[in-house]
Amino acid sequence: MAISAYRSKGSQDDHVFVRTHVAAYFVSLLICDLMQGVGSLVNIAWINNKGVTNNSLCVAQGAIKQTGNVGTALWSLVIAIHTFCLLFYRAQIRDWVCYVTLVSVWLLIGVVLSLGPGVLATKEKGPFYGISGLWCWMTSGYPVERYALEYCFMFVSAGISFILYTLVFLRLRGNINLNGMRFSFQRRVVVKGYSNRQFNAVTDPSQNTHVMKIARQMMWYPVAYTILIVPIAAARFATFSGKPVPYEVTIFTATIFMLSGFVNAVLFTMTRRVVPASTIFPRIIRERFGISTGSGVATQQRSFTNGGLSRSSRAYPLAGIGVSVNVEKDF
């Protein structure tokens, strides 16, 4: 992405991924993924010491892990909401909304991080961050805070994202009819040529397989996130309740959870025009190896009629995450 940003700095194409709102959200997500990784790398110190030590490094690990986990949940939700607004309602999202979102979410992460040790911690319960099983996190004296200040964010993010991406999928497929802010469900109508029916998909879904392909790919976001968090949550909940959890199970579930950064990068690469070839490879290399420089944009300029009102000659670029509906530069 850094190479793409540098090489495309003189480009007039506003659809380059690194110039979009979702790129800023994606970078924030990757920062939180990085913090998860840094927090887990601290476990190397515990391995060298042959045990977890309750010291300043332990406190730092607990804070870093909570920041990464909560941040990943929030930024995943922000991206889901942003995608929903663009592809479901085709809303025009202004730059100031992106700036406010960036500041607000990072402030929220800071508030959640400081709320525990700064407000909720008491002498009777002990330190907020400390030894928690095989690593450091919120201590056993704060069972409610463990759910409220971390796991709640993770499961709410996964649940809402699943609902939003499902609605986007149905909208692109033609199963949802939109009327202002209200929507209703309907059977998918397969139409060839012109139609008097109101089309609620970005294009005729029966004719545009590219739209449906990307829509199906987007469904992997909430599915993958849920698969990543459920195993470790189940193992940790069992530990919290006093049930013995094998060491191998704990390590395996933690490893699965730590793949979230890798999974996020793979999913974005699959579904979004993150780094177009023209912004990465020099022209001589693209020509030598036949690397496509296209932006992945296809247009649909069919004419539909809706109650006598013609909608003709309007282009719908299909790029990146799936569809750019000419309402914002973001995809």
Side-chain angles (χ1 to χ4, degrees):
M1 287 182 63
I3 297 174
S4 178
Y6 175 77
R7 290 185 59 84
S8 62
K9 60 183 180 179
S11 174
Q12 301 298 320
D13 184 7
D14 288 336
H15 293 279
V16 176
F17 178 81
V18 293
R19 298 183 179 181
T20 64
H21 297 168
V22 76
Y25 304 149
F26 182 48
V27 170
S28 297
L29 176 63
L30 291 182
I31 291 174
C32 293
D33 286 329
L34 177 62
M35 297 186 72
Q36 284 182 334
V38 172
S40 295
L41 286 176
V42 177
N43 291 335
I44 297 176
W46 313 142
I47 296 175
N48 291 333
N49 296 335
K50 298 181 180 180
V52 184
T53 305
N54 198 357
N55 52 21
S56 58
L57 181 61
C58 180
V59 174
Q61 183 185 34
I64 292 173
K65 288 179 71 69
Q66 185 191 9
T67 302
N69 296 341
V70 172
T72 300
L74 289 177
W75 288 116
S76 297
L77 181 59
V78 166
I79 293 172
I81 294 174
H82 182 79
T83 303
F84 177 78
C85 292
L86 283 178
L87 298 186
F88 191 89
Y89 284 113
R90 308 179 197 174
Q92 295 190 28
I93 302 179
R94 305 299 181 185
D95 289 344
W96 67 266
V97 176
C98 176
Y99 302 144
V100 171
T101 300
L102 289 171
V103 173
S104 299
V105 175
W106 279 114
L107 283 177
L108 177 58
I109 294 174
V111 169
V112 172
L113 178 65
S114 59
L115 191 61
V119 178
L120 302 177
T122 62
K123 293 183 178 180
E124 293 75 14
K125 294 182 178 180
F128 189 78
Y129 295 119
I131 299 175
S132 178
L134 299 178
W135 50 76
C136 294
W137 189 53
M138 302 180 207
T139 58
S140 58
Y142 301 90
V144 176
E145 288 79 359
R146 285 173 166 176
Y147 297 98
L149 298 182
E150 183 163 322
Y151 286 112
C152 179
F153 288 98
M154 296 166 66
F155 284 106
V156 168
S157 174
I160 295 179
S161 296
F162 184 81
I163 294 173
L164 294 181
Y165 281 120
T166 300
L167 290 174
V168 169
F169 173 79
L170 294 176
R171 172 109 163 94
L172 296 180
R173 190 174 184 271
N175 293 113
I176 292 181
N177 181 40
L178 192 63
N179 184 15
M181 296 298 294
R182 297 182 178 181
F183 62 90
S184 59
F185 295 93
Q186 66 180 16
R187 293 183 60 184
R188 182 185 180 190
V189 180
V190 178
V191 179
K192 295 182 180 179
Y194 297 92
S195 172
N196 290 325
R197 296 294 300 272
Q198 179 179 359
F199 276 79
N200 52 31
V202 175
T203 63
D204 181 355
S206 65
Q207 303 295 324
N208 199 330
T209 57
H210 177 69
V211 175
M212 293 310 304
K213 178 182 178 181
I214 299 300
R216 293 189 184 96
Q217 289 176 342
M218 285 192 298
M219 293 301 298
W220 280 105
Y221 282 89
V223 172
Y225 187 66
T226 302
I227 292 174
L228 291 171
I229 67 174
V230 167
I232 191 172
R236 297 292 284 173
F237 290 168
T239 302
F240 299 158
S241 62
K243 297 179 181 179
V245 177
Y247 172 81
E248 294 79 6
V249 173
T250 301
I251 297 300
F252 175 76
T253 56
T255 302
I256 293 296
F257 181 65
M258 291 310 302
L259 291 174
S260 59
F262 172 76
V263 172
N264 286 332
V266 170
L267 288 176
F268 264 75
T269 302
M270 289 173 54
T271 61
R272 300 171 190 259
R273 188 169 50 121
V274 180
V275 282
S278 59
T279 66
I280 295 295
F281 302 103
R283 180 178 179 182
I284 186 173
I285 295 180
R286 297 198 307 266
E287 293 177 350
R288 173 65 178 82
F289 294 97
I291 300 175
S292 174
T293 60
S295 62
V297 177
T299 59
Q300 181 81 4
Q301 294 186 338
R302 297 181 53 189
S303 174
F304 298 109
T305 57
N306 177 21
L309 297 178
S310 175
R311 299 170 55 199
S312 58
S313 301
R314 183 177 182 182
Y316 296 88
L318 309 176
I321 186 171
V323 184
S324 173
V325 292
N326 276 358
V327 295
E328 193 201 4
K329 66 181 181 181
D330 219 17
F331 291 106

